[in-house]
Amino acid sequence: MPPYPGPGPDQQYQPQQEHQQQPVAPEGWFRDEAQASAPAAAPVQGWPQGAETAYLPPYPGPEHEHQHQPHHQQQQSPPAEETARGYLPAVAGGLPPVADVPAAEQTAYLPPQAAATPGEDPAEAPGEPQEITSWSPPTLAGNTLRAVDPAQARAEGRSPIIDPGPQSAILTAVLGLLLAVAAALGQYALLLPLIALQGLTAAGWFRLNGMWPARQGIALAFAGAVVADVAVLAVDPTYGPGAIVGTLGAWVLLTLVLQLRSHADPDERMYGLMASVASAALAIICAGYLAADSAAATVGAAAVAVAVFARALPLPTAPSVGVSLAAAAGAGIAVGGLTPVGTGGALIGLVAGVCALVGLRVAAYDYPSKFVHMTAGVALPLAAAAPAVYLIGRVVG
């Protein structure tokens, strides 16, 4: 109910106010009750006279009701503020001032109304609970919270490709340089950074596919990578590729058996089987750095580090790809000059750079999260280049 802007304290009631409705209580409020009620009881002794009816308005008597109505309207009614104090319910803080009150201040007691934003449904009340419809679709296991919601991004027409960025490139460059230095020192020195690479590969691939935490699948893939490393070190260098392929075949069979024992739906079992096999395969083929010649492994790892770092530079896509491939070939020539590979390092560096860019592109697909960038974005360029390093190293060496 809007506040009554009654007359000011210094204004006089004018004759034209006779027909205006005064903010007084209806006459039937208390008079009807008085007529229908029983005779009032005798006042209690000890109470002051009039204390029992102090909250009631002054009653002029029944004979006043039979007077002419115009004469009653001409009588000056009490001010609104005094009337409210007499018999209307009390308002916290008192009534607002009635003299020259701006419109904004007259409605200051109303609850604030939130302005409707463009595109918002006006039927939705701001205080009522609404059904949440912005969640990502359910997945097979774990949380798939991403930096960008895929469904919303597809509806807006945004590209599903989000490059890992400079932070992942720096980590990849550091890990690649560690692999290059460790490969120059020997196979056993190469084990430490290689195991870190295989762990990142196994975890990053599951996270890239929206399966997290997927501890069993990550542990299975990582175990296969460690078995492949041990097999390569246990056999003659000539049989290193056979050890890797044999381990991969055994792990595919083991993964298939484990998925057949699952009680999930057929579609979920197939999806889990493909993700587990791909993760194990990527982690196992990283052992190609162990099977390759030490010089080829040094050149290939250094070329991947330079290519990924150059790809992260703020350049357009086409020039950035060209610059990164040229940098990889140049790194192959530079590092190859320090090893028995020689100028053949350019070919190793170029092919390794191409594989690194492919792995980087895979890690950027389907609206990846920051965690995907820091795992798959770091490991996939180096993992994808491992087979090429072995094969081109055999050709050049």
Side-chain angles (χ1 to χ4, degrees):
M1 183 178 74
Y4 171 69
D10 55 347
Q11 298 179 359
Q12 299 293 333
Y13 289 88
Q14 302 297 332
Q16 61 268 20
Q17 294 180 349
E18 295 179 0
H19 302 286
Q20 295 180 358
Q21 183 178 359
Q22 299 294 334
V24 297
E27 297 188 11
W29 271 16
F30 301 102
R31 295 169 185 171
D32 294 343
E33 296 178 1
Q35 295 174 4
S37 60
V44 181
Q45 296 181 0
W47 286 79
Q49 183 68 24
E52 296 179 353
T53 59
Y55 62 93
L56 295 177
Y59 181 56
E63 66 278 359
H64 183 72
E65 297 180 0
H66 302 288
Q67 294 180 0
H68 297 288
Q69 187 68 18
H71 176 71
H72 175 72
Q73 293 179 353
Q74 292 177 2
Q75 291 182 357
Q76 183 177 3
S77 59
E81 185 176 2
E82 296 180 2
T83 305
R85 292 177 182 174
Y87 52 85
L88 291 181
V91 179
L95 294 175
V98 295
D100 299 334
V101 180
E105 296 184 5
Q106 293 181 4
T107 58
Y109 63 92
L110 296 176
Q113 302 293 332
T117 58
E120 182 181 358
D121 188 4
E124 297 180 358
E128 299 177 358
Q130 301 294 335
E131 182 181 359
I132 298 175
T133 59
S134 59
W135 299 109
S136 299
T139 55
L140 301 179
N143 181 20
T144 59
L145 183 61
R146 304 182 183 217
V148 179
D149 182 66
Q152 180 181 0
R154 290 190 186 96
E156 295 175 356
R158 288 188 282 176
S159 173
I161 304 298
I162 302 177
D163 293 328
Q167 295 180 351
S168 301
I170 293 174
L171 293 178
T172 305
V174 171
L175 185 56
L177 293 177
L178 288 177
L179 286 171
V181 173
L185 298 177
Q187 286 184 326
Y188 292 98
L190 184 59
L191 275 178
L192 183 60
L194 181 60
I195 289 176
L197 171 62
Q198 290 168 334
L200 286 175
T201 303
W205 185 259
F206 276 99
R207 190 62 183 90
L208 180 62
N209 285 270
M211 303 177 66
W212 190 258
R215 299 182 183 90
Q216 181 179 358
I218 294 174
L220 183 63
F222 182 71
V226 173
V227 170
D229 296 341
V230 173
V232 170
L233 294 176
V235 301
D236 190 80
T238 308
Y239 303 104
I244 295 176
V245 174
T247 305
L248 180 58
W251 242 251
V252 169
L253 181 60
L254 179 60
T255 304
L256 180 61
V257 171
L258 291 177
Q259 289 297 326
L260 289 176
R261 296 184 59 186
S262 175
H263 298 286
D265 295 335
D267 293 340
E268 293 184 358
R269 286 204 303 264
M270 180 59 67
Y271 188 70
L273 175 64
M274 299 304 297
S276 300
V277 169
S279 178
L282 289 171
I284 289 172
I285 65 174
C286 291
Y289 288 105
L290 277 179
D293 184 70
S294 62
T298 301
V299 174
V304 170
V306 174
V308 173
F309 185 79
R311 183 67 179 86
L313 296 177
L315 296 174
T317 303
S320 178
V321 172
V323 169
S324 61
L325 293 179
I333 295 174
V335 179
L338 304 176
T339 62
V341 175
T343 57
L347 182 59
I348 298 177
L350 181 61
V351 176
V354 171
C355 295
L357 293 184
V358 171
L360 196 65
R361 185 71 168 184
V362 172
Y365 186 68
D366 199 17
Y367 310 100
S369 64
K370 192 69 174 178
F371 185 78
V372 173
H373 286 166
M374 291 301 168
T375 52
V378 173
L380 286 184
L382 289 166
V389 168
Y390 174 81
L391 293 175
I392 305 301
R394 290 291 297 270
V395 171
V396 174

